[in-house]
Amino acid sequence: MHQGTMPIRFAYSSGTLGLNQAERSEIRNSFLALKRAPVIVQAMPSIDAGGAEATALWAAEVAAVAGGRSIVASGAGPAERLKRFGAQHLMVSLERSGPLAASSNISRLKKLIEETKADILHVRSREIAWAALQAAQDSRCMVVTSCGDDNVFSNVIRDAGSLADGDCIVAGSNHVKNLIKKADIEKGQRVAVIPDGADLTHYCAESVSAERLAHIARIWGNLEEPSPIILAPGDIGSLRGQTELVRALAIITQNEPRCSDVTLILAGSVGRSDPYARELSRLVSNFRLKNRVFIADQLEDLPAAMLMADLVASVPNQPLGQDTFAAMAAALGKPVVGAYHGATAETVEDDVTGRLCSPVRPDSIAAACTDILTLSAADRNIMARNARLRAEKLFSARKSALALSRLYGALLNSSEKNL
């Protein structure tokens, strides 16, 4: 099993949403009934290079386009970059955990609401949600929460119900909405389904240069033969089902002559002493797949990596709150072998943009992967077109941003009427 050395940085977006004039007008129209400029604050512990950064920046851009004061409050953040989005950065140290985290976060968020005169406080982490709700109790500020965690039942329903307690709850999928509604019908009525969305300009085959593809090929060891590639992005762990993928690979290489040389790329960080990692290494060795499995660590250029692959696998053992990887692959026209449950089943349209399978059955995963890998060139092209069209229709960051602007506008208009 090869080891990779890629730095930890996912490429979600490199710029603003690129809204056209009609889209900007639509956003402004969402706020027309207000007689003042609203103040919309995104609050989080830090802005990193992942999906939380992208969605926070896009939400900040929406607020700025609407003519409001757009603020991102975090312990660290790209202040200069935020200016390009028409937003302002405020340094606010918010703790992720610890015995004093809750009380300190409440006081800091309460001060933030008072000083900015925030109309909406939007939070995306369970660590901050409870404190935000407490801080906003005696103010006019509304709290919007976003729920899209991997382990939705644990993080949203059982252990961190505060994420489902906002004035409005933004769910990354219908799966999350149904979970919340099943747990509490009244809360379910406050849910708006808005996936994070993929930056379709960034996740577009035409935007990825030959140099970027060559760079990924070198990182993957300049594979000697042009073998089919299955890419499985996501941290190495039981949630993402890498052991089942290795077992599926053994079935594929043994039973399908046309796919005997397939290579599995596991693109996610892993602790070498982790028990799951040891089990993964043992399986690879037992199935004699050391030359067929490559751990690439987290990839700094996910679009190029996905384009290098013949298919992208997303087979989590537990239902996901949203499946951003599957949406990104669709945007690039890559077929996805996905789990039949959770948000993955909403993202992948079976036999149209990929194949759905049972994630706990290696034989089911193997059959789905084989079906994709043995498609004719014509059928593969049809599936690629279907995937891109589905991404444009359902999983575009711009569409998600427009939906968020309508949500913000509706909340603010409702608040004004109730004064």
Side-chain angles (χ1 to χ4, degrees):
M1 179 167 57
H2 306 295
Q3 306 295 340
T5 57
M6 287 298 292
I8 299 175
R9 186 181 187 280
F10 280 100
Y12 279 79
S13 173
S14 59
T16 68
L17 288 165
L19 298 166
N20 59 38
Q21 192 58 46
E23 290 165 335
R24 288 175 173 273
S25 295
E26 181 178 341
I27 290 173
R28 285 192 290 269
N29 289 339
S30 298
F31 295 79
L32 273 182
L34 295 174
K35 300 190 185 330
R36 57 186 177 80
V39 180
I40 299 175
V41 180
Q42 322 282 322
M44 61 194 68
S46 65
I47 297 181
D48 55 26
E53 176 194 48
T55 54
L57 293 176
W58 293 332
E61 182 179 1
V62 163
V65 169
R69 185 181 175 200
S70 180
I71 299 169
V72 174
S74 70
E80 289 303 315
R81 186 179 177 196
L82 279 165
K83 288 180 182 178
R84 298 208 315 270
F85 287 78
Q88 174 189 2
H89 180 254
L90 293 180
M91 288 289 292
V92 179
S93 296
L94 298 171
E95 306 295 333
R96 292 182 183 274
S97 60
L100 300 177
S103 60
S104 64
N105 284 345
I106 290 173
S107 62
R108 287 166 183 164
L109 288 171
K110 189 172 184 178
K111 183 180 179 183
L112 176 69
I113 291 169
E114 291 172 350
E115 291 184 348
T116 62
K117 295 181 172 54
D119 293 293
I120 290 177
L121 180 63
H122 193 157
V123 295
R124 292 174 173 77
S125 66
R126 57 179 175 163
E127 296 91 352
I128 307 301
W130 186 82
L133 290 163
Q134 303 306 309
Q137 273 186 348
D138 298 323
S139 73
R140 291 178 54 247
C141 180
M142 292 174 287
V143 177
V144 174
T145 58
S146 286
C147 302
D149 286 358
D150 285 349
N151 189 346
V152 176
F153 181 80
S154 174
N155 291 346
V156 176
I157 305 301
R158 186 181 65 200
D159 298 336
S162 54
L163 271 176
D165 275 337
D167 293 280
C168 186
I169 305 146
V170 178
S173 64
N174 285 304
H175 171 67
V176 175
K177 179 176 181 176
N178 292 336
L179 274 179
I180 296 172
K181 189 174 181 180
K182 185 175 180 181
D184 190 315
I185 292 177
E186 191 277 327
K187 289 180 182 178
Q189 294 172 348
R190 302 201 304 269
V191 177
V193 178
I194 306 176
D196 280 351
D199 181 347
L200 298 189
T201 301
H202 199 53
Y203 282 83
C204 174
E206 290 75 18
S207 70
V208 179
S209 66
E211 289 77 13
R212 287 168 62 187
L213 295 174
H215 180 62
I216 292 293
R218 287 193 297 272
I219 289 164
W220 289 351
N222 283 321
L223 302 176
E224 294 181 1
E225 70 279 1
S227 61
I229 294 174
I230 300 173
L231 175 66
D235 288 345
I236 307 300
S238 58
L239 174 64
R240 284 287 173 180
Q242 287 93 358
T243 56
E244 287 78 10
L245 274 168
V246 169
R247 293 179 186 276
L249 181 66
I251 294 172
I252 294 169
T253 56
Q254 292 171 12
N255 298 341
E256 179 50 68
R258 292 173 294 177
C259 303
S260 60
D261 60 345
V262 68
T263 296
L264 173 63
I265 308 288
L266 304 176
S269 63
V270 59
R272 303 306 178 200
S273 60
D274 184 89
Y276 187 85
R278 291 199 298 270
E279 168 65 9
L280 193 60
S281 295
R282 185 187 65 80
L283 277 177
V284 170
S285 178
N286 288 349
F287 287 123
R288 298 180 181 180
L289 293 170
K290 287 186 177 180
N291 294 325
R292 302 257 65 90
V293 179
F294 180 85
I295 294 183
D297 289 341
Q298 290 185 333
L299 296 166
E300 67 175 2
D301 192 345
L302 198 53
M306 286 183 170
L307 279 179
M308 286 286 292
D310 292 86
L311 69 87
V312 173
S314 182
V315 288
N317 289 333
Q318 301 173 37
L320 299 181
Q322 59 184 354
D323 198 331
T324 310
F325 289 131
M328 290 170 173
L332 288 161
K334 286 295 171 179
V336 176
V337 167
Y340 68 86
H341 56 203
T344 307
E346 296 177 35
T347 310
V348 180
E349 188 173 0
D350 196 26
D351 284 334
V352 178
T353 67
R355 286 298 311 274
L356 295 176
C357 64
S358 170
V360 296
R361 287 180 46 203
D363 61 324
S364 179
I365 298 172
C369 289
T370 300
D371 286 349
I372 297 295
L373 292 172
T374 56
L375 282 174
S376 67
D379 287 340
R380 180 174 290 275
N381 288 337
I382 291 172
M383 188 167 283
R385 286 196 297 273
N386 290 340
R388 177 69 185 187
L389 288 172
R390 185 171 174 81
E392 290 173 350
K393 181 180 179 182
L394 300 176
F395 306 113
S396 159
R398 289 165 71 166
K399 286 185 179 295
S400 295
L402 290 170
L404 188 61
S405 75
R406 290 190 289 271
L407 172 65
Y408 284 163
L411 285 173
L412 292 166
N413 290 330
S414 175
S415 177
E416 292 285 297
K417 290 176 183 177
N418 292 330
L419 288 179

